[in-house]
Amino acid sequence: MLTQRPKGTNDLLPGQAEKWHYIENIIRQVCREYGYEEIRTPIFEHTELFQRGVGETTDIVEKEMYTFLDKGERSVTLRPEGTAPVCRAYVENKLYAGPQPVKLYYVGPMFRYERPQAGRFRQFNQFGIEVFGTTNPALDAEVITMAMDFYERLGLRNLEVHLNSVGCSKCRPVHKAKLQEFLRPKLEKFCPNCQGRFERNPLRMLDCKNPGCQELSVGAPTTTQCLCEECAEHFEQVKGYLDKVGVRYRVDERLVRGLDYYTKTAFEIMVEEIGAQSAICGGGRYDGLIEEIGGPVTPGIGFALGMERIFSALAVQGIEIPVETKADVYLAALGEPAVRETFRLQAQLRKLHLKVEMDYLARGLKAQLKTADRLKAKYTVIIGEDELARGAATVRQMDSGDQQEVKLIDLIDYLVVN
Ligand code: HAM
């Protein structure tokens, strides 16, 4: 146990971490261009925030939360998602009092006690965005476009946007009644979990993973069939805006998100090639959530995408992440006086912001050159006793193998210019 990480978690090892930096840099660039600012909220929140925000009858709240009592007997929960915390921060810090819309993004770990499998972890990372203060359907389209734009910059292909509208507080009760009418005659055949949800939240029954329940719900009335005039018009407009910018989507009336706060637009982006956990992004509008957690009536919309699933998708599509060279210059020294000289050179070169490494294991020349190769150094500077006596160093250009003797007093200039 002492040398084993908890199930469903990952170590990010050297070599992998650089790849995350690459993706995070693209995230920050896209967010800057689309006008989003970063927000960082706590890793844990009061449990009630998720119960109220995400919904009591969701899998997340019923089964998957890391909830514990702290030493003050307060129930706290490691955040299973980012939307409720960002809404809480928006209200608590009165961001509604400033200019709207407020466009925020976050990147960080989330925690869900799920059954781990490929692409599904207990600690995973999300990049998410949330926008507050406008009901404009153009923004729904912008949010989806932004996610697609981000994936495109990574070179990902074969992405499918699944789009649905889940209605609002006006049309939802109509749908709920119709759905209950449809499900009631077969209720006994559903799993106990579904039966428990029949009264409070029958929509969740359509999202049950049990194949028997899935079959029973085939042909159930969809939310889009019950939309009120306003929601239907909103949905049409969202589709129209997506068409305008050439973002392709598939209307998926069976799309039920795993969180209860959605109103109107709900969407997921899929990459079938990565297997069962094919949803790489999920999001939608949540016009009632801010009010639900005690803030002023404020519309909101956003998405979150799984960082780990990006890597799965990149891997199956054979896309390499460009990794920077680890060293510009490798300093190989032989003998104590030469080591002292290279130590000085190393400090000087670092002042000029070059990536420099030297040997700290007193190894022979062959081993040092091997390290220079592994680090993909552009140059290796070799200083032995003979070179030192002549006040010079041998500079080897690693890709061509060309060697040249350079005077020590000219060495810094030589490396910086080249
Ligand atoms: P979600 O669909 O629960 O939505 O999660 C979003 C994405 O996070 C998923 O599409 C998936 O890529 C990734 N993800 C979820 N669970 C796991 C897991 N156990 N392991 C690995 N990756 C996972 C939300 O979280 C909403 N807060 C999204 C949102 C933001 N809606 C509006 N604003």
Side-chain angles (χ1 to χ4, degrees), residues 6 10 13 24 125 132 142 161 178 195 200 222 266 270 273 310-311 318-319 321 367 371 375 395 403 413-414:
N10 290 301
L13 298 176
E24 284 160 9
N125 290 272
F132 301 100
E142 183 188 290
V161 177
K178 283 198 175 164
Q195 291 185 17
R200 282 195 297 166
T222 64
M270 315 282 199
E273 299 148 278
I310 296 177
F311 286 96
I319 300 167
I321 293 181
T371 307
L375 296 173
V395 179
Q403 288 198 173
D413 283 345
Y414 179 91

PDB file of all heavy atoms in Angstrom, residues 6 10 13 24 125 132 142 161 178 195 200 222 266 270 273 310-311 318-319 321 367 371 375 395 403 413-414:
ATOM      1  N   PRO A   6      -3.671   5.496  -4.828  1.00  0.00           N
ATOM      2  CA  PRO A   6      -5.068   5.052  -4.713  1.00  0.00           C
ATOM      3  C   PRO A   6      -5.653   4.730  -6.089  1.00  0.00           C
ATOM      4  O   PRO A   6      -5.285   5.349  -7.083  1.00  0.00           O
ATOM      5  CB  PRO A   6      -5.776   6.254  -4.096  1.00  0.00           C
ATOM      6  CG  PRO A   6      -4.702   7.074  -3.465  1.00  0.00           C
ATOM      7  CD  PRO A   6      -3.467   6.837  -4.264  1.00  0.00           C
ATOM      8  N   ASN A  10      -3.702   9.015 -10.963  1.00  0.00           N
ATOM      9  CA  ASN A  10      -2.545   8.919 -11.855  1.00  0.00           C
ATOM     10  C   ASN A  10      -1.367   9.716 -11.313  1.00  0.00           C
ATOM     11  O   ASN A  10      -1.557  10.758 -10.689  1.00  0.00           O
ATOM     12  CB  ASN A  10      -2.889   9.516 -13.228  1.00  0.00           C
ATOM     13  CG  ASN A  10      -3.864   8.649 -13.991  1.00  0.00           C
ATOM     14  OD1 ASN A  10      -3.595   7.491 -14.259  1.00  0.00           O
ATOM     15  ND2 ASN A  10      -5.014   9.219 -14.309  1.00  0.00           N
ATOM     16  N   LEU A  13       4.239  11.824 -14.708  1.00  0.00           N
ATOM     17  CA  LEU A  13       5.693  11.689 -14.633  1.00  0.00           C
ATOM     18  C   LEU A  13       6.391  12.691 -15.544  1.00  0.00           C
ATOM     19  O   LEU A  13       5.776  13.221 -16.475  1.00  0.00           O
ATOM     20  CB  LEU A  13       6.074  10.263 -15.028  1.00  0.00           C
ATOM     21  CG  LEU A  13       5.510   9.183 -14.105  1.00  0.00           C
ATOM     22  CD1 LEU A  13       5.846   7.793 -14.619  1.00  0.00           C
ATOM     23  CD2 LEU A  13       6.022   9.363 -12.681  1.00  0.00           C
ATOM     24  N   GLU A  24      -2.089  22.889 -21.869  1.00  0.00           N
ATOM     25  CA  GLU A  24      -2.525  24.039 -21.047  1.00  0.00           C
ATOM     26  C   GLU A  24      -2.198  25.363 -21.726  1.00  0.00           C
ATOM     27  O   GLU A  24      -2.963  26.321 -21.620  1.00  0.00           O
ATOM     28  CB  GLU A  24      -1.870  23.968 -19.657  1.00  0.00           C
ATOM     29  CG  GLU A  24      -2.531  22.912 -18.776  1.00  0.00           C
ATOM     30  CD  GLU A  24      -1.666  22.455 -17.602  1.00  0.00           C
ATOM     31  OE1 GLU A  24      -0.601  23.079 -17.361  1.00  0.00           O
ATOM     32  OE2 GLU A  24      -2.045  21.482 -16.942  1.00  0.00           O
ATOM     33  N   ASN A 125      -8.877  15.531 -14.505  1.00  0.00           N
ATOM     34  CA  ASN A 125      -8.737  16.976 -14.675  1.00  0.00           C
ATOM     35  C   ASN A 125      -9.679  17.497 -15.735  1.00  0.00           C
ATOM     36  O   ASN A 125      -9.869  16.850 -16.769  1.00  0.00           O
ATOM     37  CB  ASN A 125      -7.299  17.314 -15.061  1.00  0.00           C
ATOM     38  CG  ASN A 125      -6.355  17.087 -13.902  1.00  0.00           C
ATOM     39  OD1 ASN A 125      -6.136  17.971 -13.086  1.00  0.00           O
ATOM     40  ND2 ASN A 125      -5.826  15.875 -13.789  1.00  0.00           N
ATOM     41  N   PHE A 132     -21.722  33.967 -17.571  1.00  0.00           N
ATOM     42  CA  PHE A 132     -22.908  34.406 -16.826  1.00  0.00           C
ATOM     43  C   PHE A 132     -23.450  35.702 -17.378  1.00  0.00           C
ATOM     44  O   PHE A 132     -22.694  36.556 -17.833  1.00  0.00           O
ATOM     45  CB  PHE A 132     -22.538  34.624 -15.351  1.00  0.00           C
ATOM     46  CG  PHE A 132     -22.007  33.391 -14.692  1.00  0.00           C
ATOM     47  CD1 PHE A 132     -20.641  33.214 -14.515  1.00  0.00           C
ATOM     48  CD2 PHE A 132     -22.875  32.400 -14.274  1.00  0.00           C
ATOM     49  CE1 PHE A 132     -20.148  32.063 -13.929  1.00  0.00           C
ATOM     50  CE2 PHE A 132     -22.390  31.245 -13.680  1.00  0.00           C
ATOM     51  CZ  PHE A 132     -21.023  31.074 -13.503  1.00  0.00           C
ATOM     52  N   GLU A 142     -21.410  29.991 -29.449  1.00  0.00           N
ATOM     53  CA  GLU A 142     -19.999  30.352 -29.263  1.00  0.00           C
ATOM     54  C   GLU A 142     -19.288  29.345 -28.351  1.00  0.00           C
ATOM     55  O   GLU A 142     -18.151  28.934 -28.608  1.00  0.00           O
ATOM     56  CB  GLU A 142     -19.861  31.759 -28.662  1.00  0.00           C
ATOM     57  CG  GLU A 142     -18.394  32.159 -28.534  1.00  0.00           C
ATOM     58  CD  GLU A 142     -18.146  33.453 -27.770  1.00  0.00           C
ATOM     59  OE1 GLU A 142     -18.480  34.523 -28.292  1.00  0.00           O
ATOM     60  OE2 GLU A 142     -17.591  33.379 -26.652  1.00  0.00           O
ATOM     61  N   VAL A 161     -20.559  16.571 -32.423  1.00  0.00           N
ATOM     62  CA  VAL A 161     -21.309  17.334 -31.426  1.00  0.00           C
ATOM     63  C   VAL A 161     -22.724  16.763 -31.350  1.00  0.00           C
ATOM     64  O   VAL A 161     -23.417  16.711 -32.361  1.00  0.00           O
ATOM     65  CB  VAL A 161     -21.392  18.828 -31.823  1.00  0.00           C
ATOM     66  CG1 VAL A 161     -22.236  19.592 -30.808  1.00  0.00           C
ATOM     67  CG2 VAL A 161     -20.017  19.444 -31.951  1.00  0.00           C
ATOM     68  N   LYS A 178     -45.688  13.722 -19.237  1.00  0.00           N
ATOM     69  CA  LYS A 178     -45.809  12.814 -20.385  1.00  0.00           C
ATOM     70  C   LYS A 178     -44.908  11.595 -20.215  1.00  0.00           C
ATOM     71  O   LYS A 178     -45.280  10.471 -20.563  1.00  0.00           O
ATOM     72  CB  LYS A 178     -45.421  13.553 -21.674  1.00  0.00           C
ATOM     73  CG  LYS A 178     -46.498  14.476 -22.156  1.00  0.00           C
ATOM     74  CD  LYS A 178     -46.295  14.834 -23.615  1.00  0.00           C
ATOM     75  CE  LYS A 178     -47.475  15.667 -24.086  1.00  0.00           C
ATOM     76  NZ  LYS A 178     -47.243  16.374 -25.306  1.00  0.00           N
ATOM     77  N   GLN A 195     -36.788   3.018 -10.383  1.00  0.00           N
ATOM     78  CA  GLN A 195     -38.089   3.131  -9.709  1.00  0.00           C
ATOM     79  C   GLN A 195     -38.062   4.248  -8.672  1.00  0.00           C
ATOM     80  O   GLN A 195     -39.011   5.005  -8.525  1.00  0.00           O
ATOM     81  CB  GLN A 195     -38.463   1.798  -9.058  1.00  0.00           C
ATOM     82  CG  GLN A 195     -38.769   0.735 -10.107  1.00  0.00           C
ATOM     83  CD  GLN A 195     -39.259  -0.571  -9.501  1.00  0.00           C
ATOM     84  OE1 GLN A 195     -39.669  -0.630  -8.357  1.00  0.00           O
ATOM     85  NE2 GLN A 195     -39.208  -1.630 -10.299  1.00  0.00           N
ATOM     86  N   ARG A 200     -39.539  11.678  -8.527  1.00  0.00           N
ATOM     87  CA  ARG A 200     -38.811  12.935  -8.400  1.00  0.00           C
ATOM     88  C   ARG A 200     -38.187  13.403  -9.709  1.00  0.00           C
ATOM     89  O   ARG A 200     -38.214  14.573 -10.045  1.00  0.00           O
ATOM     90  CB  ARG A 200     -37.712  12.783  -7.335  1.00  0.00           C
ATOM     91  CG  ARG A 200     -38.265  12.859  -5.929  1.00  0.00           C
ATOM     92  CD  ARG A 200     -37.190  13.061  -4.915  1.00  0.00           C
ATOM     93  NE  ARG A 200     -36.242  11.932  -4.890  1.00  0.00           N
ATOM     94  CZ  ARG A 200     -35.075  11.945  -4.295  1.00  0.00           C
ATOM     95  NH1 ARG A 200     -34.676  13.033  -3.668  1.00  0.00           N
ATOM     96  NH2 ARG A 200     -34.284  10.894  -4.303  1.00  0.00           N
ATOM     97  N   THR A 222     -39.646  12.797 -25.864  1.00  0.00           N
ATOM     98  CA  THR A 222     -38.392  13.526 -25.672  1.00  0.00           C
ATOM     99  C   THR A 222     -38.679  14.949 -25.206  1.00  0.00           C
ATOM    100  O   THR A 222     -39.788  15.451 -25.376  1.00  0.00           O
ATOM    101  CB  THR A 222     -37.581  13.594 -26.986  1.00  0.00           C
ATOM    102  OG1 THR A 222     -38.352  14.350 -27.937  1.00  0.00           O
ATOM    103  CG2 THR A 222     -37.314  12.212 -27.544  1.00  0.00           C
ATOM    104  N   ALA A 266     -28.262  21.520 -24.217  1.00  0.00           N
ATOM    105  CA  ALA A 266     -27.357  20.557 -23.583  1.00  0.00           C
ATOM    106  C   ALA A 266     -26.582  19.891 -24.714  1.00  0.00           C
ATOM    107  O   ALA A 266     -27.137  19.635 -25.778  1.00  0.00           O
ATOM    108  CB  ALA A 266     -28.146  19.509 -22.810  1.00  0.00           C
ATOM    109  N   MET A 270     -18.264  13.892 -28.795  1.00  0.00           N
ATOM    110  CA  MET A 270     -17.820  12.492 -28.727  1.00  0.00           C
ATOM    111  C   MET A 270     -16.702  12.207 -29.716  1.00  0.00           C
ATOM    112  O   MET A 270     -16.681  12.763 -30.811  1.00  0.00           O
ATOM    113  CB  MET A 270     -18.962  11.538 -29.107  1.00  0.00           C
ATOM    114  CG  MET A 270     -20.277  11.861 -28.482  1.00  0.00           C
ATOM    115  SD  MET A 270     -20.290  11.303 -26.785  1.00  0.00           S
ATOM    116  CE  MET A 270     -22.022  11.273 -26.467  1.00  0.00           C
ATOM    117  N   GLU A 273     -13.747   6.659 -31.420  1.00  0.00           N
ATOM    118  CA  GLU A 273     -12.559   5.783 -31.434  1.00  0.00           C
ATOM    119  C   GLU A 273     -11.984   5.481 -30.045  1.00  0.00           C
ATOM    120  O   GLU A 273     -11.242   4.529 -29.890  1.00  0.00           O
ATOM    121  CB  GLU A 273     -11.432   6.439 -32.248  1.00  0.00           C
ATOM    122  CG  GLU A 273     -11.756   6.705 -33.682  1.00  0.00           C
ATOM    123  CD  GLU A 273     -11.023   7.961 -34.176  1.00  0.00           C
ATOM    124  OE1 GLU A 273     -11.521   9.066 -33.927  1.00  0.00           O
ATOM    125  OE2 GLU A 273      -9.966   7.808 -34.800  1.00  0.00           O
ATOM    126  N   ILE A 310      -8.416  13.758 -23.665  1.00  0.00           N
ATOM    127  CA  ILE A 310      -7.721  14.380 -24.811  1.00  0.00           C
ATOM    128  C   ILE A 310      -6.533  13.505 -25.178  1.00  0.00           C
ATOM    129  O   ILE A 310      -6.284  13.224 -26.348  1.00  0.00           O
ATOM    130  CB  ILE A 310      -7.180  15.787 -24.451  1.00  0.00           C
ATOM    131  CG1 ILE A 310      -8.307  16.753 -24.136  1.00  0.00           C
ATOM    132  CG2 ILE A 310      -6.313  16.335 -25.587  1.00  0.00           C
ATOM    133  CD1 ILE A 310      -7.829  18.133 -23.717  1.00  0.00           C
ATOM    134  N   PHE A 311      -5.814  13.056 -24.142  1.00  0.00           N
ATOM    135  CA  PHE A 311      -4.615  12.254 -24.421  1.00  0.00           C
ATOM    136  C   PHE A 311      -4.983  10.918 -25.069  1.00  0.00           C
ATOM    137  O   PHE A 311      -4.284  10.461 -25.963  1.00  0.00           O
ATOM    138  CB  PHE A 311      -3.799  12.044 -23.133  1.00  0.00           C
ATOM    139  CG  PHE A 311      -3.070  13.293 -22.729  1.00  0.00           C
ATOM    140  CD1 PHE A 311      -3.607  14.159 -21.790  1.00  0.00           C
ATOM    141  CD2 PHE A 311      -1.865  13.635 -23.322  1.00  0.00           C
ATOM    142  CE1 PHE A 311      -2.955  15.333 -21.447  1.00  0.00           C
ATOM    143  CE2 PHE A 311      -1.207  14.798 -22.981  1.00  0.00           C
ATOM    144  CZ  PHE A 311      -1.752  15.652 -22.036  1.00  0.00           C
ATOM    145  N   GLY A 318      -3.005   9.004 -33.448  1.00  0.00           N
ATOM    146  CA  GLY A 318      -1.590   9.056 -33.817  1.00  0.00           C
ATOM    147  C   GLY A 318      -1.014  10.465 -33.866  1.00  0.00           C
ATOM    148  O   GLY A 318      -0.126  10.761 -34.660  1.00  0.00           O
ATOM    149  N   ILE A 319      -1.529  11.344 -33.010  1.00  0.00           N
ATOM    150  CA  ILE A 319      -1.029  12.730 -33.009  1.00  0.00           C
ATOM    151  C   ILE A 319       0.014  12.890 -31.902  1.00  0.00           C
ATOM    152  O   ILE A 319      -0.266  12.643 -30.730  1.00  0.00           O
ATOM    153  CB  ILE A 319      -2.185  13.732 -32.805  1.00  0.00           C
ATOM    154  CG1 ILE A 319      -3.201  13.569 -33.944  1.00  0.00           C
ATOM    155  CG2 ILE A 319      -1.675  15.164 -32.731  1.00  0.00           C
ATOM    156  CD1 ILE A 319      -4.521  14.259 -33.694  1.00  0.00           C
ATOM    157  N   ILE A 321       2.533  15.035 -29.561  1.00  0.00           N
ATOM    158  CA  ILE A 321       2.640  16.387 -29.007  1.00  0.00           C
ATOM    159  C   ILE A 321       4.095  16.829 -29.147  1.00  0.00           C
ATOM    160  O   ILE A 321       5.001  16.112 -28.706  1.00  0.00           O
ATOM    161  CB  ILE A 321       2.202  16.413 -27.535  1.00  0.00           C
ATOM    162  CG1 ILE A 321       0.707  16.130 -27.476  1.00  0.00           C
ATOM    163  CG2 ILE A 321       2.543  17.735 -26.887  1.00  0.00           C
ATOM    164  CD1 ILE A 321       0.127  16.137 -26.100  1.00  0.00           C
ATOM    165  N   ALA A 367      29.994   8.200 -21.587  1.00  0.00           N
ATOM    166  CA  ALA A 367      28.716   8.258 -20.862  1.00  0.00           C
ATOM    167  C   ALA A 367      28.139   9.669 -20.921  1.00  0.00           C
ATOM    168  O   ALA A 367      26.923   9.850 -21.056  1.00  0.00           O
ATOM    169  CB  ALA A 367      28.923   7.826 -19.416  1.00  0.00           C
ATOM    170  N   THR A 371      24.521  11.010 -22.536  1.00  0.00           N
ATOM    171  CA  THR A 371      23.530  11.866 -21.877  1.00  0.00           C
ATOM    172  C   THR A 371      23.176  13.045 -22.780  1.00  0.00           C
ATOM    173  O   THR A 371      22.003  13.407 -22.921  1.00  0.00           O
ATOM    174  CB  THR A 371      24.085  12.391 -20.528  1.00  0.00           C
ATOM    175  OG1 THR A 371      24.512  11.274 -19.775  1.00  0.00           O
ATOM    176  CG2 THR A 371      23.038  13.169 -19.764  1.00  0.00           C
ATOM    177  N   LEU A 375      19.442  14.016 -24.056  1.00  0.00           N
ATOM    178  CA  LEU A 375      18.823  15.316 -23.794  1.00  0.00           C
ATOM    179  C   LEU A 375      18.565  16.090 -25.083  1.00  0.00           C
ATOM    180  O   LEU A 375      18.042  17.193 -25.063  1.00  0.00           O
ATOM    181  CB  LEU A 375      19.727  16.159 -22.879  1.00  0.00           C
ATOM    182  CG  LEU A 375      19.944  15.609 -21.470  1.00  0.00           C
ATOM    183  CD1 LEU A 375      20.982  16.436 -20.728  1.00  0.00           C
ATOM    184  CD2 LEU A 375      18.637  15.605 -20.686  1.00  0.00           C
ATOM    185  N   VAL A 395      33.799  22.016 -29.388  1.00  0.00           N
ATOM    186  CA  VAL A 395      32.342  22.172 -29.492  1.00  0.00           C
ATOM    187  C   VAL A 395      31.842  21.234 -30.582  1.00  0.00           C
ATOM    188  O   VAL A 395      32.276  21.304 -31.730  1.00  0.00           O
ATOM    189  CB  VAL A 395      31.956  23.625 -29.833  1.00  0.00           C
ATOM    190  CG1 VAL A 395      30.431  23.751 -29.954  1.00  0.00           C
ATOM    191  CG2 VAL A 395      32.475  24.586 -28.767  1.00  0.00           C
ATOM    192  N   GLN A 403      32.892  19.021 -35.415  1.00  0.00           N
ATOM    193  CA  GLN A 403      33.571  19.489 -34.197  1.00  0.00           C
ATOM    194  C   GLN A 403      34.468  20.652 -34.519  1.00  0.00           C
ATOM    195  O   GLN A 403      35.032  20.728 -35.592  1.00  0.00           O
ATOM    196  CB  GLN A 403      34.408  18.361 -33.608  1.00  0.00           C
ATOM    197  CG  GLN A 403      33.567  17.307 -32.981  1.00  0.00           C
ATOM    198  CD  GLN A 403      34.327  16.406 -32.010  1.00  0.00           C
ATOM    199  OE1 GLN A 403      33.731  15.619 -31.364  1.00  0.00           O
ATOM    200  NE2 GLN A 403      35.653  16.539 -31.930  1.00  0.00           N
ATOM    201  N   ASP A 413      30.067  33.697 -26.558  1.00  0.00           N
ATOM    202  CA  ASP A 413      29.576  34.378 -27.772  1.00  0.00           C
ATOM    203  C   ASP A 413      29.246  33.357 -28.849  1.00  0.00           C
ATOM    204  O   ASP A 413      28.210  33.436 -29.498  1.00  0.00           O
ATOM    205  CB  ASP A 413      30.642  35.338 -28.329  1.00  0.00           C
ATOM    206  CG  ASP A 413      30.697  36.610 -27.497  1.00  0.00           C
ATOM    207  OD1 ASP A 413      29.749  36.823 -26.720  1.00  0.00           O
ATOM    208  OD2 ASP A 413      31.694  37.353 -27.603  1.00  0.00           O
ATOM    209  N   TYR A 414      30.133  32.374 -29.010  1.00  0.00           N
ATOM    210  CA  TYR A 414      29.950  31.364 -30.056  1.00  0.00           C
ATOM    211  C   TYR A 414      28.616  30.623 -29.862  1.00  0.00           C
ATOM    212  O   TYR A 414      27.829  30.468 -30.785  1.00  0.00           O
ATOM    213  CB  TYR A 414      31.116  30.364 -30.006  1.00  0.00           C
ATOM    214  CG  TYR A 414      31.017  29.265 -31.039  1.00  0.00           C
ATOM    215  CD1 TYR A 414      31.593  29.409 -32.307  1.00  0.00           C
ATOM    216  CD2 TYR A 414      30.334  28.078 -30.748  1.00  0.00           C
ATOM    217  CE1 TYR A 414      31.492  28.400 -33.258  1.00  0.00           C
ATOM    218  CE2 TYR A 414      30.225  27.060 -31.692  1.00  0.00           C
ATOM    219  CZ  TYR A 414      30.813  27.230 -32.940  1.00  0.00           C
ATOM    220  OH  TYR A 414      30.714  26.229 -33.885  1.00  0.00           O
TER     221      TYR A 414
END
